[in-house]
Amino acid sequence: MENTLKNYYQLKIIPRTKHSISRKKISNNTLKVLYSLKKAGYEAYLVGGSIRDMLLGKQPKDFDITTNATPEKMRKLFRNCILVGRRFRLARIIFFSEIIEVATFRGNNFTFESNKNIKDTSIISKHGMLLQDNIFGSIEEDAQRRDFSINSIYYNIVDFSLRDYTEGIKDLQQGTIRLIGDPETRYREDPVRMLRAIRFAAKLNMTISYETEEPIFRLSILLNNVAPTRLFEETLKLLYGGYGKATYKLLRKYKIFQLIFPLIRNHITNSNESYIELIINKELCHIDQQLQKNIKVNPAFLFAAILWYPLLEDTKKLIFEKKISYSNAFFLSINNIINKQCHTLAIPKKIIFYIKEIWKLQLSMNYYSSKNNSNLIEHPKFYIDYDFLNLRAKVANNIEVQQLSKL
Ligand code: ATP
Ligand code: MG
């Protein structure tokens, strides 16, 4: 397999007069950290999503800094600093209203020809996955270790110029998501990069280049090796980033949605019109709209909707297998389904609590809308109409919880 180091591009330096990034767009705390590092004699750059977004005329979500100061040196330099991260060691500089993450330049610490060449602090799994990546390097190496060319543009605090090692500016102008280095190697190192490619393509309305896209179809299965906690966080970013509907479309294209939610594999259709798919589409539209209005949304509802049919199928199975009542089977299945889903996504306890409450509400709504209990097995709807939004608010406020437990 090819080593990513072989793919060096010609460095392009863009002076301040030739780009649009002004210090006015950068938060004061970020500037403080950059200037402090510079004053202490270190190199300091703003890099990643903030540069990408500012060049696209968007407001950055957060500011990431990279430097040649080691995390330990940063801890000495900043009083308000903590070190975090097992896989990537990072310094977090804590301000009253903002946290700035500062990473030390990352080195190219391995070859893929043989695992014997790996230095002590990097560990690679048998699938080529990078389990630890703590070797420090130069800015040139750091640029090659980043995921996409558009995320690897550096803003130099010394003269406010941009440094582009990977033709990121060209890709940004052309609207192309392109992995740096050999795509297959980079996906094997970290399969989450497939999800990131999809997320940025949807969010920025860009196209994933052919070389970056092609391996996704073959390698998506590697996502099964990603820790469920990380996969849950990434799934939230995918579906709750304000571009959930567009992201969902791409996740379906690459057959990744069913990898994240294996329990609904059988409900995914080419026409995208099964009842569950209609609900997912509707809910994602709603979530996107709410987020655009800066209204917070509770992730539990979408999860409850996605897993509603697997829950009913399991309930039905238990009724026939164990010869128990509908409600007993339903409550047993709630735990079954949550446990099964948590093998891929580690859903936090608080969200699980809400999912369960929503399901119990669904059961009661179905119960009251059908005269005969057996109808529940044949026609159980997942309520998503406008009235249900009010119920949702009640769930969030815990108002119904006590009443429900009496049902
Ligand atoms: P946003 O914060 O808007 O979601 P971002 O690009 O800033 O997008 P972060 O997760 O904040 O994403 O990461 C910051 C930077 O770190 C990225 O721009 C990229 O350069 C690098 N990076 C993040 N995750 C990876 C990864 N899995 N592999 C390689 N580089 C990565
Ligand atoms: Mg970021």
Side-chain angles (χ1 to χ4, degrees):
M1 245 176 271
E2 212 179 330
N3 187 323
T4 52
L5 258 181
K6 288 177 191 158
N7 290 303
Y8 268 113
Y9 298 92
Q10 187 76 40
L11 164 66
K12 288 197 184 76
I13 297 182
I14 299 100
R16 172 65 191 95
T17 49
K18 296 269 167 58
H19 68 76
S20 58
I21 296 181
S22 139
R23 272 169 292 165
K24 287 192 197 111
K25 292 188 197 160
I26 304 170
S27 80
N28 284 338
N29 294 327
T30 306
L31 289 171
K32 261 188 224 161
V33 175
L34 286 166
Y35 281 127
S36 302
L37 285 163
K38 179 184 155 210
K39 203 171 150 206
Y42 297 111
E43 292 175 48
Y45 298 86
L46 201 54
V47 67
S50 56
I51 299 299
R52 177 196 70 216
D53 290 348
M54 282 192 283
L55 286 173
L56 289 172
K58 292 175 189 276
Q59 182 58 37
K61 217 174 63 190
D62 48 33
F63 293 95
D64 295 305
I65 293 175
T66 184
T67 175
N68 59 350
T70 60
E72 276 66 32
K73 290 270 187 322
M74 282 189 268
R75 194 159 45 186
K76 284 184 192 142
L77 189 61
F78 299 98
R79 269 187 304 133
N80 46 342
C81 171
I82 54 163
L83 303 186
V84 294
R86 262 189 315 149
R87 195 163 168 278
F88 301 119
R89 200 118 174 92
L90 289 175
R92 270 197 188 144
I93 322 284
I94 320 271
F95 292 94
F96 180 66
S97 57
E98 196 179 8
I99 296 172
I100 311 288
E101 291 205 334
V102 192
T104 308
F105 295 146
R106 208 143 269 139
N108 255 291
N109 47 350
F110 51 85
T111 74
F112 285 93
E113 266 85 44
S114 151
N115 278 9
K116 284 182 200 141
N117 294 336
I118 297 165
K119 290 187 192 167
D120 286 342
T121 45
S122 86
I123 302 168
I124 293 177
S125 78
K126 65 175 191 266
H127 302 288
M129 190 148 100
L130 210 54
L131 303 177
Q132 227 181 49
D133 186 13
N134 256 337
I135 285 190
F136 304 133
S138 61
I139 183 170
E140 289 80 9
E141 286 173 318
D142 189 88
Q144 305 302 319
R145 297 292 309 128
R146 291 185 179 269
D147 48 6
F148 307 105
S149 59
I150 58 165
N151 286 348
S152 191
I153 306 167
Y154 295 73
Y155 173 87
N156 191 348
I157 196 63
V158 170
D159 58 4
F160 318 120
S161 65
L162 293 180
R163 298 174 84 84
D164 180 6
Y165 292 89
T166 58
E167 300 201 330
I169 291 178
K170 192 173 125 205
D171 284 335
L172 210 51
Q173 283 161 349
Q174 293 179 349
T176 306
I177 310 283
R178 192 170 47 79
L179 262 177
I180 299 166
D182 171 52
E184 176 152 350
T185 309
R186 302 304 312 279
Y187 286 138
R188 284 189 182 278
E189 270 175 42
D190 183 4
V192 165
R193 288 174 187 148
M194 293 184 251
L195 302 182
R196 291 176 60 86
I198 290 169
R199 178 154 68 87
F200 294 129
K203 177 181 163 183
L204 307 171
N205 196 16
M206 287 189 175
T207 310
I208 305 176
S209 79
Y210 172 77
E211 293 74 16
T212 299
E213 177 183 58
E214 180 275 325
I216 299 181
F217 295 100
R218 285 182 289 114
L219 302 178
S220 58
I221 194 79
L222 294 176
L223 286 164
N224 285 336
N225 303 330
V226 175
T229 30
R230 188 162 178 228
L231 210 52
F232 176 78
E233 281 164 21
E234 293 300 325
T235 302
L236 274 198
K237 287 187 203 163
L238 286 163
L239 303 177
Y240 289 83
Y243 305 85
K245 183 103 190 286
T247 310
Y248 172 60
K249 208 170 155 197
L250 288 177
L251 288 170
R252 287 175 57 97
K253 175 180 171 187
Y254 300 110
K255 303 206 175 358
I256 288 180
F257 196 75
Q258 43 270 62
L259 272 174
I260 302 175
F261 296 102
L263 293 169
I264 59 154
R265 205 179 284 129
N266 298 338
H267 295 273
I268 302 281
T269 61
N270 286 337
S271 63
N272 194 10
E273 280 178 352
S274 70
Y275 193 68
I276 214 166
E277 289 170 315
L278 295 176
I279 286 182
I280 294 171
N281 274 309
K282 198 166 170 182
E283 177 60 9
L284 285 172
C285 277
H286 174 74
I287 293 168
D288 287 350
Q289 282 165 7
Q290 297 292 96
L291 291 172
Q292 247 134 50
K293 289 187 241 162
N294 277 331
I295 300 173
K296 272 196 173 174
V297 281
N298 184 343
F301 190 80
L302 180 66
F303 286 96
I306 292 174
L307 297 173
W308 176 244
Y309 280 100
L311 172 66
L312 296 175
E313 282 156 11
D314 198 66
T315 304
K316 207 169 167 178
K317 205 174 108 216
L318 287 188
I319 292 171
F320 290 110
E321 276 178 15
K322 295 191 185 273
K323 308 274 179 279
I324 51 178
S325 71
Y326 188 91
S327 56
N328 281 348
F330 185 83
F331 285 99
L332 278 178
S333 292
I334 285 183
N335 288 333
N336 281 351
I337 294 301
I338 293 287
N339 289 343
K340 281 185 191 163
Q341 181 60 64
C342 284
H343 287 308
T344 36
L345 299 181
I347 308 174
K349 280 202 180 88
K350 196 172 159 198
I351 297 181
I352 289 177
F353 170 81
Y354 283 127
I355 295 174
K356 289 182 175 177
E357 293 310 314
I358 292 165
W359 281 343
K360 290 177 205 167
L361 269 174
Q362 294 286 330
L363 181 70
S364 60
M365 287 181 75
N366 277 295
Y367 184 86
Y368 291 121
S369 68
S370 76
K371 291 185 194 114
N372 176 337
N373 213 353
S374 67
N375 283 354
L376 282 173
I377 304 172
E378 303 309 328
H379 305 291
K381 272 176 76 179
F382 189 88
Y383 286 91
I384 196 170
D385 55 21
Y386 198 71
D387 288 344
F388 194 77
L389 298 179
N390 294 328
L391 280 173
R392 240 159 123 183
K394 286 184 192 166
V395 170
N397 292 329
N398 271 346
I399 292 169
E400 302 258 349
V401 175
Q402 286 176 351
Q403 292 165 8
L404 269 168
S405 60
K406 290 180 198 145
L407 280 176

